[in-house]
């Protein structure tokens, strides 16, 4: 049986969950979204995701036609209708249907949809052996052009880098800023350990402020690690003791090679392993619980 999709206030079978070809989300990537996960009937950090969605929408001056409570309810209902304990949830709000011009004020009604699907897990191997990643030549969009803090439907910049990664046989690609600082991967934030200090690029340098990133920073501090948010260069990555990525889909995943250079001895490090375990614990604890 197919999925039931939340679309503008009603639930429809996936075959009927369609949007207009005049929707500006499709024509111009004009919209915002969130990727969220539920773990054993707990939507991990749902409130934080909804707050980020609200901020992204505010930044592009898109009025969300629902309150945060109503959005929360819609997410939970989507999970319940589809009887999903563990799921990947995609919540999207586009500018809606307009004409062929750019003008967002010609789109009277935003389109809101929520898809809750079974989670497609990365193969277990990657968590045990670690990922090989490469640096993309495509630089991350400058935040002078557009804030990367907003999670919008404009992902072409990241898609270009993802293609470069694939062409080099890597699952993820590392993106640098215009100045050459390390920022993040196409869909994940990056961390290194050096002398037991956990370091990640600061949010103002032009990254998406990941919810998983923030959770890992908090966890690491609780576990007594020194944590710093400061600019990183490729030198820092190549010479790090450990490296890992964080994201809603990937969770916490070790990186063992960057640009064909092994990180330390080329296997996942002990601190990364310990954070992976700690992170797994909180996925069912922190968030919004629901019943099926
Ligand atoms: N950076 C980018 C560019 C992303 O698309 C994502 C995934 N949404 C992340 C980082 C990780 O963010 P989060 O932990 O909130 O999923």
């Amino acid at each position: 049986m197919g999925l039931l999709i939340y679309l503008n206030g009603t639930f429809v079978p996936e075959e009927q969950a369609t949007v207009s070809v005049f929707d500006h989300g499709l024509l111009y990537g004009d919209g915002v979204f969130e990727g969220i996960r539920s773990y054993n009937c707990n939507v991990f950090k749902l409130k934080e995701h909804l707050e980020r969605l609200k901020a992204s929408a505010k930044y592009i001056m898109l009025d969300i036609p629902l309150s945060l409570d109503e959005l929360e309810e819609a997410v939970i209902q989507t999970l319940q209708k589809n009887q999903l304990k563990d799921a990947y949830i995609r919540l999207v709000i586009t500018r809606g249907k307009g004409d062929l011009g750019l003008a967002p004020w010609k789109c009277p009604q935003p389109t809101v949809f929520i898809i809750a699907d079974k989670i497609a897990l990365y193969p277990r191997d990657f968590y045990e052996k670690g990922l090989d990643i490469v640096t993309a030549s495509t630089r991350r969009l400058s935040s002078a052009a557009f804030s990367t803090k907003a999670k919008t439907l404009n992902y072409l910049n990241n898609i270009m880098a993802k293609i470069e990664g694939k062409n080099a046989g890597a699952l993820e690609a590392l993106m640098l800023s215009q100045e050459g600082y390390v920022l993040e991967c196409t869909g994940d934030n990056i961390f290194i350990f050096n002398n037991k200090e956990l370091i990640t690029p600061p949010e103002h340098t032009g990254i998406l402020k990941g919810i998983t990133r923030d959770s890992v920073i908090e966890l690491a501090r609780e576990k007594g690690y020194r944590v710093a948010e400061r600019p990183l260069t490729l030198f820092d990555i190549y010479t790090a003791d450990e490296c890992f990525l964080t994201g809603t889909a990937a969770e916490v995943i070790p990186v063992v090679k960057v640009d064909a250079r092994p990180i330390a001895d080329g296997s996942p490090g002990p601190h990364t392993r310990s954070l992976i375990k700690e992170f797994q614990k909180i996925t069912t604890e922190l968030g919004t619980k629901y019943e099926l």
Side-chain angles (χ1 to χ4, degrees):
M1 207 185 71
L3 296 172
L4 282 173
I5 312 292
Y6 174 98
L7 179 61
N8 297 324
T10 53
F11 285 93
V12 292
E14 60 179 82
E15 307 76 42
Q16 289 161 35
T18 54
V19 297
S20 163
V21 291
F22 289 95
D23 194 298
H24 278 211
L26 179 61
L27 287 176
Y28 296 115
D30 185 355
V32 293
F33 78 103
E34 280 298 317
I36 312 168
R37 247 171 108 158
S38 79
Y39 294 85
N40 198 23
C41 291
N42 176 55
V43 188
F44 182 65
K45 300 239 167 172
L46 177 56
K47 288 199 191 315
E48 287 81 351
H49 279 283
L50 295 178
E51 284 295 342
R52 184 170 68 184
L53 184 77
K54 189 175 143 192
S56 301
K58 172 90 180 169
Y59 178 64
I60 68 161
M61 297 188 75
L62 168 62
D63 286 328
I64 303 180
L66 298 158
S67 68
L68 291 194
D69 284 349
E70 286 167 336
L71 279 173
E72 185 172 305
E73 183 56 30
V75 167
I76 302 292
Q77 273 185 13
T78 312
L79 289 159
Q80 289 168 332
K81 292 257 184 215
N82 290 284
Q83 287 291 298
L84 288 164
K85 264 169 67 180
D86 297 276
Y88 182 83
I89 303 143
R90 177 58 56 93
L91 166 50
V92 183
I93 307 184
T94 78
R95 192 78 65 179
K97 196 173 153 188
D99 63 20
L100 288 178
L102 285 177
W105 52 91
K106 298 217 174 131
C107 308
Q109 190 60 38
T111 304
V112 181
F113 60 89
I114 306 170
I115 308 166
D117 202 353
K118 284 197 191 69
I119 178 87
L121 296 171
Y122 279 104
R124 212 55 248 162
D125 248 26
F126 290 123
Y127 294 86
E128 274 139 33
K129 296 192 190 133
L131 279 185
D132 288 8
I133 65 172
V134 293
T135 307
S137 64
T138 304
R139 295 283 165 107
R140 192 79 171 94
L141 278 184
S142 156
S143 29
F146 196 82
S147 177
T148 50
K149 279 196 194 173
K151 194 163 169 63
T152 74
L153 295 177
N154 270 272
Y155 258 62
L156 261 186
N157 181 224
N158 308 51
I159 288 169
M160 296 300 288
K162 185 98 184 167
I163 291 170
E164 283 188 61
K166 166 94 161 88
N167 289 347
L171 218 65
E172 251 301 5
L174 183 58
M175 301 184 80
L176 309 180
S177 68
Q178 305 290 317
E179 301 78 24
Y181 288 106
V182 167
L183 291 182
E184 60 183 339
C185 286
T186 67
D188 306 289
N189 292 110
I190 188 161
F191 286 80
I192 59 168
F193 268 111
N194 224 347
N195 297 322
K196 295 193 189 151
E197 183 184 33
L198 183 62
I199 316 165
T200 195
E203 55 177 280
H204 71 263
T205 50
I207 57 164
L208 181 82
K209 194 170 175 291
I211 310 268
T212 322
R213 169 190 183 274
D214 290 355
S215 308
V216 164
I217 290 176
E218 214 176 295
L219 263 183
R221 289 209 168 109
E222 277 168 23
K223 295 289 142 201
Y225 287 107
R226 276 180 298 137
V227 182
E229 293 178 53
R230 62 168 182 265
L232 293 173
T233 63
L234 280 175
F235 175 90
D236 303 312
I237 305 287
Y238 294 158
T239 60
D241 295 336
E242 300 185 24
C243 180
F244 64 85
L245 308 181
T246 63
T248 295
E251 302 173 304
V252 181
I253 192 160
V255 171
V256 291
K257 254 190 201 167
V258 180
D259 300 332
R261 294 159 177 257
I263 302 297
D265 69 357
S267 58
H271 304 299
T272 304
R273 284 183 191 281
S274 132
L275 281 181
I276 290 175
K277 281 214 190 80
E278 294 298 330
F279 181 76
Q280 275 163 357
K281 283 188 213 156
I282 63 165
T283 53
T284 50
E285 288 166 9
L286 306 180
T288 305
K289 303 215 167 18
Y290 60 96
E291 279 171 13
L292 290 184

